Amino acid sequence: MDTRHMRYFVALAETLHFSQAAARMNMSQPPFSRQIAAIEKTLGVRLFERNSRNVVLTTAGKHFLNDCRSVLAGFEAACRDVQLVASGAKGELKLGFTMYAAQGIVPKLVRLLSDAAPDVRLVLEERLPSDIDELLLESRLDAAVTLGNPTARHLQTRFLARDRLRLIVHADHPLASAEQVGAQSLTSERLIAAPASVVPTLRSAIGAYCAAGGIVPHFALEPRLQHTIIRLVGEGLGVALIPQSLCSDLGETIVSRPLIDPPEFDVVLCAPTASRNPAVGRLFELVKQLSF
Amino acid sequence: MDTRHMRYFVALAETLHFSQAAARMNMSQPPFSRQIAAIEKTLGVRLFERNSRNVVLTTAGKHFLNDCRSVLAGFEAACRDVQLVASGAKGELKLGFTMYAAQGIVPKLVRLLSDAAPDVRLVLEERLPSDIDELLLESRLDAAVTLGNPTARHLQTRFLARDRLRLIVHADHPLASAEQVGAQSLTSERLIAAPASVVPTLRSAIGAYCAAGGIVPHFALEPRLQHTIIRLVGEGLGVALIPQSLCSDLGETIVSRPLIDPPEFDVVLCAPTASRNPAVGRLFELVKQLSF
DNA sequence: CCATTTGATACCTCCAGAGTATCAATTCGC
DNA sequence: GCGAATTGATACTCTGGAGGTATCAAATGG
């Protein structure tokens, strides 16, 4: 028994006519009749009542017809789906992202992918930048939206957007009314920033910016989450340099000011160079066609 | 592509070893390798990443493995089920019955069948005896529990039980206190009975009984349902001869009395002689082993 | 009663799939 | 580092099963 036999059976069950069914199967009647007989013999079940004039399904044949149709449908779906999965049009994509970079970009990316490949189940995972590289290399993430990191090996990256840092201070802070702020203005400020182990890209950018301005930054507090940094600035416990894209909706108590010659950094899509998941290729293809 | 190919694929996906998988398929490694290559070629999809030392599933291969397993399971279930249907162990059985005969017997029959063949979906339909023959011949019923009917052609029957008629009268009726009742006692009674067109067996039995007693019965009312007959007797509108098996639980206002030399009739299981439904054969087999 | 239709049978052909022998590449132990 | 062993790929051969053609047998209908 094979799917071919099932197809023969279905053809005969639908036409109830050996010659017509054989024609539908692109073959002549005699071998077709033999195949039907072979099916009945191997199953040990009479599927058709037939005299040389009429063909009619038995009760068992009717049941078998239903079963064959669903088996054949499943069979063809399997063969079709495997091609879709291979092409990246179907499957699962675990996409990591970090709030340090994700503002506005991840929703666009999700929309883009779910429009172009609705059968790809997208699993979103928010992580700290430092965790993302590790998860990608362990294949626990397929791709991620994160900060550009020159040290990333074994990772392919694609530029998504360029962002710059901006100063945020409490509304009562003297710098709140400054038009622009240079590095020197930060000399005696209590800086709040995530530790280098969590967000190396931003932390090194801040360090470089201060060094260029000839000052030594004083990092008073080092929380891990962007959200916490903003909260602490709101409490007046210090000032911070955060991505411009995160400076909307800071609330009443926090004011953001542009920096003179601000540090810039890339927001990138990245994935393991030898990703096993075809959906990753698809995602990169889609991103190519897009400009943020 | 065929189920055989799927089996090969699953074997390799489970062992990740060509020689072992080939052995499991009872064949040698070279043709097995070729079949795997052929699958990948016809699908146009790489299912395994392999060098001469390691074999590992691709993402598409993993999906395909799941799909293949369910397709193969469905395939085998279909081949198995068709045999069960043919043997009468699975399928549907539309069983008709009539309240004139069914008291106590149908529940036993249902229990019997659902114990012996739980995969046979039993559809019960209560009908008048006259309808049952017709529905059986039209194959709108597969089998039925009804009154023995000597005129039934094209029907196979099997004896289930023998029943006899009994007189029921209103509690205030003079015959209510009679020990036994003969046909002569019915001379001037208003008889209530279903019309011959509805229950020919009982009606002719009643007719013969009266004729044997030398009286001409007076059928005052001719409702179609047994239940209605009993209600009308309860209203004192006449007397009736009904199956003994229906004489329990008649209520306060109705009294049943045995007849002298009562008319007897068979309760039978019957089905079209050339029934297409194997479950019917099964049912008859089961009934053979049973005595009511 | 004969022509037509339809499924079954007999016989032949051929290719897909299985077998054997062998090769090539990688790994591992000494 | 080199040889032995393991493992998948390749080349060639062969066989069984699936399909083709010709034909028959039975049933239907004008």
Side-chain angles (χ1 to χ4, degrees):
Chain A
M1 275 297 294
D2 236 332
T3 52
R4 182 170 40 88
H5 294 114
M6 282 192 170
R7 270 183 258 274
Y8 291 170
F9 167 73
V10 171
L12 182 55
E14 287 177 351
T15 60
L16 293 179
H17 193 294
F18 277 75
S19 301
Q20 289 173 25
R24 184 192 287 192
M25 293 291 102
N26 297 312
M27 62 191 289
S28 60
Q29 170 262 319
F32 182 84
S33 293
R34 258 179 304 156
Q35 291 300 330
I36 296 293
I39 295 170
E40 292 186 323
K41 190 178 176 190
T42 55
L43 289 177
V45 172
R46 194 148 196 79
L47 299 171
F48 297 97
E49 292 294 340
R50 49 191 181 279
N51 50 46
S52 55
R53 206 72 195 172
N54 294 311
V55 177
V56 60
L57 277 169
T58 62
T59 305
K62 281 178 200 159
H63 272 257
F64 196 50
L65 177 57
N66 284 332
D67 289 351
C68 283
R69 280 185 175 137
S70 66
V71 167
L72 289 175
F75 179 84
E76 274 146 32
C79 294
R80 191 164 19 84
D81 286 355
V82 70
Q83 296 175 15
L84 292 178
V85 173
S87 74
K90 187 176 161 74
E92 188 182 87
L93 181 69
K94 292 193 282 285
L95 180 67
F97 67 96
T98 178
M99 276 312 288
Y100 290 93
Q103 201 74 6
I105 287 183
V106 167
K108 274 187 201 167
L109 221 54
V110 170
R111 164 67 59 96
L112 184 70
L113 188 67
S114 54
D115 280 356
D119 289 337
V120 173
R121 204 165 66 86
L122 197 54
V123 178
L124 289 174
E125 244 178 86
E126 185 184 352
R127 294 287 184 163
L128 293 175
S130 56
D131 293 340
I132 283 182
D133 290 17
E134 193 183 345
L135 292 169
L136 284 171
L137 292 176
E138 286 172 2
S139 291
R140 292 171 55 192
L141 285 180
D142 293 310
V145 177
T146 185
L147 302 174
N149 184 350
T151 69
R153 323 115 300 159
H154 304 302
L155 290 182
Q156 57 179 322
T157 65
R158 169 139 198 111
F159 171 79
L160 291 177
R162 191 152 185 81
D163 204 352
R164 58 184 55 177
L165 293 182
R166 197 173 162 93
L167 177 72
I168 60 172
V169 298
H170 190 276
D172 299 337
H173 193 280
L175 287 173
S177 53
E179 191 65 32
Q180 279 192 322
V181 180
Q184 289 82 1
S185 309
L186 303 176
T187 307
S188 56
E189 292 295 336
R190 296 165 53 89
L191 276 175
I192 304 176
S197 62
V198 171
V199 198
T201 305
L202 291 192
R203 185 61 177 253
S204 62
I206 294 171
Y209 185 64
C210 292
I215 69 160
V216 178
H218 168 48
F219 291 106
L221 292 167
E222 297 192 329
R224 304 168 67 85
L225 299 178
Q226 191 68 46
H227 177 248
T228 309
I229 295 173
I230 295 172
R231 283 287 311 264
L232 293 175
V233 171
E235 297 291 332
L237 297 173
V239 307
L241 303 182
I242 67 170
Q244 185 169 36
S245 59
L246 295 171
C247 288
S248 53
D249 301 325
L250 290 173
E252 301 284 312
T253 58
I254 300 175
V255 171
S256 80
R257 298 283 83 195
L259 295 171
I260 299 165
D261 290 331
E264 295 193 330
F265 57 93
D266 288 348
V267 174
V268 299
L269 176 66
C270 66
T273 37
S275 175
R276 300 247 164 278
N277 191 338
V280 171
R282 184 81 172 219
L283 180 61
F284 272 76
E285 283 299 315
L286 287 170
V287 168
K288 247 184 218 170
Q289 304 160 15
L290 205 79
S291 61
F292 289 97
Chain B
M1 276 295 296
D2 233 332
T3 51
R4 182 168 41 86
H5 294 114
M6 283 192 169
R7 271 182 258 273
Y8 291 169
F9 167 74
V10 171
L12 182 56
E14 288 177 350
T15 61
L16 293 179
H17 193 293
F18 278 75
S19 299
Q20 289 172 25
R24 184 193 288 193
M25 293 290 103
N26 297 312
M27 62 191 289
S28 60
Q29 171 262 319
F32 182 84
S33 292
R34 259 179 304 150
Q35 290 301 329
I36 296 293
I39 294 171
E40 291 186 325
K41 189 178 176 190
T42 55
L43 288 178
V45 172
R46 195 149 195 77
L47 299 171
F48 298 96
E49 293 295 340
R50 51 191 180 279
N51 49 45
S52 54
R53 207 71 194 171
N54 294 311
V55 177
V56 60
L57 277 169
T58 62
T59 305
K62 281 178 199 160
H63 272 258
F64 196 49
L65 177 57
N66 283 332
D67 289 351
C68 282
R69 281 185 175 137
S70 66
V71 167
L72 288 174
F75 179 84
E76 275 146 31
C79 294
R80 192 165 19 82
D81 286 355
V82 71
Q83 298 175 13
L84 292 179
V85 172
S87 73
K90 186 177 162 74
E92 188 182 87
L93 180 68
K94 292 193 282 286
L95 180 66
F97 67 95
T98 179
M99 278 311 289
Y100 290 92
Q103 201 72 7
I105 287 182
V106 167
K108 275 188 200 166
L109 221 54
V110 170
R111 163 68 60 95
L112 185 69
L113 188 67
S114 54
D115 281 357
D119 289 337
V120 173
R121 204 166 65 87
L122 197 55
V123 178
L124 288 174
E125 246 178 83
E126 185 184 351
R127 293 288 185 163
L128 293 175
S130 58
D131 293 340
I132 283 181
D133 291 18
E134 194 183 344
L135 292 169
L136 284 171
L137 292 176
E138 287 172 2
S139 292
R140 291 171 54 193
L141 285 179
D142 293 310
V145 177
T146 184
L147 302 174
N149 183 349
T151 69
R153 321 115 303 158
H154 304 302
L155 290 182
Q156 57 178 323
T157 65
R158 168 141 198 111
F159 171 80
L160 292 177
R162 191 153 184 82
D163 203 351
R164 59 184 54 178
L165 292 183
R166 197 174 160 93
L167 177 72
I168 60 170
V169 298
H170 191 276
D172 298 338
H173 193 281
L175 287 173
S177 52
E179 190 64 32
Q180 279 193 321
V181 179
Q184 289 84 359
S185 309
L186 304 175
T187 308
S188 56
E189 291 297 337
R190 296 165 53 86
L191 277 174
I192 304 175
S197 61
V198 170
V199 198
T201 306
L202 290 192
R203 186 61 176 253
S204 63
I206 294 172
Y209 186 63
C210 291
I215 70 160
V216 177
H218 167 47
F219 291 107
L221 292 167
E222 296 193 328
R224 303 168 67 84
L225 299 179
Q226 191 67 45
H227 177 249
T228 310
I229 294 174
I230 295 172
R231 285 286 312 264
L232 294 175
V233 171
E235 298 293 332
L237 296 174
V239 307
L241 304 182
I242 67 170
Q244 185 169 34
S245 59
L246 296 172
C247 288
S248 53
D249 301 325
L250 289 173
E252 299 285 313
T253 59
I254 300 175
V255 171
S256 80
R257 298 283 83 194
L259 296 171
I260 299 166
D261 291 331
E264 295 193 328
F265 56 93
D266 288 349
V267 175
V268 298
L269 175 66
C270 66
T273 37
S275 174
R276 301 244 164 281
N277 191 339
V280 171
R282 184 81 171 217
L283 180 61
F284 273 76
E285 283 298 316
L286 288 171
V287 168
K288 245 185 218 170
Q289 305 160 15
L290 206 79
S291 60
F292 288 98

